[in-house]
Amino acid sequence: MRKSWLAIAAVLLSCTLGLGTARAELPAGYRVVLLTENFPPFNMAVDDKNFARDDAIDGISADLVREMFKRAGIDYNLSLRFPWDRIYNLTLESPNYALFSVSRTESRLPLFKWVGPLGKTRKVFMALSGSTLKVPDLATAARLRVGAYKNSAVSLMIQEKGIVPIDALRDQENIAKLQKGEIDVWATTDVVARYLAKQQGVSNLQTLLSFQESDLYLALNKDTPDEVVTRLQQALDAMRQEGLVDSITNNYL
């Protein structure tokens, strides 16, 4: 009899301990509205258009986010839209919305809940090869015509440093502006810039200044349940330990 009670006690203890790691229930029918933009090679429409849904969206972050949600057991709708300014504000204002790939800057930190990192980029000033411009620091750049992608992390960051950019609604437009002499330098991110330039057959770019390294994240509206954030982060952490994050990243680079 004593052994039987010991066995029952062991089972009860096991169940009690298990409650600490059990997943909290989410509301019935809970679903996250996932938004992204054309930001290759991290997220992009397969047909290079400004609107896409689900499987028509490709890229490093897109593949990672899909796998995270699958492992976390959380439903979602995924769409790629334009412009960035609109989907950024939509995520900021709408419960259960999330956006990727977002640079987690100091100014943005309190505005969202975060899961990541999904990848890494460097902010740079680029010019055409052969340019005689010297940009040793941000103060020098403030005296130049600087092209940037409206409301991007790069654009917001240089504005904080006193640089007033000539904003574009598509980052690709800045390549043409450089070639036409409409801007002196392009404030952008290195991996994205090289990818976009290659897509347009442009190889005559040079980096004048590298000024900040950033991690890319999934940004969730502040009203997102903590359980959702925890499940997604745990899924990503497990994927990283398994080597899956590196495998997906290397598939695009």
Side-chain angles (χ1 to χ4, degrees):
M1 177 67 72
R2 183 171 181 273
K3 288 184 178 180
S4 297
W5 277 110
L6 287 174
I8 293 172
V11 171
L12 290 174
L13 177 61
S14 175
C15 292
T16 301
L17 292 174
L19 290 176
T21 58
R23 289 180 171 180
E25 291 296 325
L26 294 173
Y30 182 83
R31 184 182 296 264
V32 174
V33 179
L34 274 173
L35 300 176
T36 191
E37 60 155 351
N38 276 313
F39 184 55
F42 297 101
N43 20 271
M44 50 198 170
V46 173
D47 59 7
D48 200 34
K49 295 189 176 176
N50 288 323
F51 180 80
R53 289 187 182 279
D54 302 320
D55 292 341
I57 301 168
D58 212 351
I60 297 168
S61 296
D63 289 355
L64 291 175
V65 169
R66 283 194 186 96
E67 182 64 17
M68 285 159 51
F69 272 80
K70 177 182 176 181
R71 292 187 180 208
I74 299 171
D75 289 334
Y76 65 90
N77 290 324
L78 171 60
S79 62
L80 180 148
R81 302 185 188 182
F82 172 82
W84 170 260
D85 190 43
R86 178 173 178 270
I87 61 175
Y88 178 89
N89 287 317
L90 194 58
T91 305
L92 197 61
E93 298 163 0
S94 308
N96 302 324
Y97 272 60
L99 177 67
F100 68 92
S101 302
V102 184
S103 294
R104 192 172 71 165
T105 62
E106 186 176 344
S107 61
R108 286 174 173 172
L109 192 58
L111 303 179
F112 300 95
K113 291 183 179 179
W114 303 88
V115 174
L118 304 173
K120 187 181 294 290
T121 63
R122 290 183 305 146
K123 294 178 176 61
V124 295
F125 282 117
M126 305 194 81
L128 295 178
S129 297
S131 171
T132 59
L133 289 173
K134 302 295 182 183
V135 186
D137 50 41
L138 294 176
T140 303
R143 299 193 292 269
L144 302 174
R145 295 173 300 165
V146 180
Y149 181 18
K150 185 177 181 181
N151 236 21
S152 66
V154 180
S155 179
L156 295 175
M157 186 265 186
I158 63 176
Q159 287 180 62
E160 291 174 357
K161 301 298 182 179
I163 299 171
V164 180
I166 301 171
D167 281 327
L169 290 179
R170 286 170 55 90
D171 214 10
Q172 294 93 323
E173 295 173 15
N174 289 303
I175 300 173
K177 287 182 177 182
L178 274 178
Q179 293 176 313
K180 294 175 182 177
E182 296 175 358
I183 58 176
D184 299 313
V185 294
W186 174 21
T188 184
T189 52
D190 53 354
V191 177
V192 176
R194 300 292 179 185
Y195 183 91
L196 294 177
K198 184 178 180 181
Q199 294 298 106
Q200 295 189 32
V202 176
S203 59
N204 60 331
L205 294 176
Q206 63 173 321
T207 299
L208 301 183
L209 176 68
S210 176
F211 57 96
Q212 190 183 64
E213 197 172 78
S214 298
D215 288 325
L216 300 175
Y217 277 73
L218 171 69
L220 301 106
N221 179 273
K222 284 189 71 174
D223 290 334
T224 302
D226 288 339
E227 172 68 14
V228 172
V229 179
T230 298
R231 287 194 202 180
L232 291 172
Q233 187 65 60
Q234 288 176 344
L236 180 60
D237 291 344
M239 291 159 58
R240 182 164 282 110
Q241 289 182 345
E242 295 165 13
L244 184 58
V245 172
D246 287 341
S247 177
I248 289 175
T249 300
N250 294 334
N251 187 47
Y252 286 91
L253 299 178

